[in-house]
Amino acid sequence: MSLDPSFVGRTYPPTAPSQVGREKIREFATAIGATDPAHHDPAAARALGHPDVVAPPTFPVLITMAASQQIVDDPALGVDYSRVVHGDQRFAYTRPVVAGDELVCVNTIEEISSRSGHGFLTTRTDVTTVAGEPVVAVWSKLVVRGES
């Protein structure tokens, strides 16, 4: 089944708020080898002007991957997740993610195309605080491999 191009421009409902925990930031930073003290030590982060530990730049993937289930699970779109390969990821920050943030995601399908029998799906996830303050926009490209 190919991806339905009529989904371009579709925006999904906001996700439930996700609480960003200090330990989750520390765990993520450790897992990716991010040793900057601001990712681990609240005092180091405060010395840089942040209210708590600061998440590494790729941290929002944890939140946006969960939020993208809205898109992947939409049967009318036609994503066969068993055939999905991650193609690209990009972030545009308004401000850093810090421990204590309560974040909401809104997913939008920006592009659907097909090349050489493969489907390409580009999504944008706007991540904001529960009060609506923009934090980061995350673009993701998924490749849905065609059948060989």
Side-chain angles (χ1 to χ4, degrees):
M1 174 183 226
S2 61
L3 299 173
D4 183 346
S6 72
F7 276 65
V8 172
R10 181 171 292 193
T11 297
Y12 290 78
T15 62
S18 177
Q19 182 77 35
V20 177
R22 184 184 290 163
E23 288 308 311
K24 186 58 80 178
I25 289 174
R26 286 176 175 155
E27 289 169 7
F28 186 86
T30 299
I32 65 168
T35 58
D36 186 316
H39 302 313
H40 302 274
D41 178 13
R46 280 193 286 279
L48 295 172
H50 303 290
D52 208 322
V53 294
V54 180
T58 55
F59 181 86
V61 166
L62 294 177
I63 299 163
T64 61
M65 272 189 69
S68 71
Q69 283 304 123
Q70 291 177 312
I71 295 169
V72 171
D73 290 345
D74 189 335
L77 175 58
V79 175
D80 177 353
Y81 201 72
S82 71
R83 305 192 69 75
V84 167
V85 178
H86 186 261
D88 190 29
Q89 195 83 44
R90 182 166 58 96
F91 304 85
Y93 274 89
T94 303
R95 71 151 175 88
V97 173
V98 297
D101 278 341
E102 205 170 354
L103 302 176
V104 174
C105 297
V106 174
N107 293 304
T108 301
I109 296 177
E110 286 203 337
E111 182 181 12
I112 294 175
S113 62
S114 180
R115 292 188 298 276
S116 303
H118 306 293
F120 293 81
L121 171 67
T122 302
T123 63
R124 184 186 78 241
T125 303
D126 293 306
V127 182
T128 65
T129 65
V130 291
E133 173 194 3
V135 177
V136 61
V138 180
W139 286 266
S140 180
K141 181 171 290 204
L142 300 179
V143 181
V144 182
R145 295 174 292 122
E147 296 187 29
S148 29

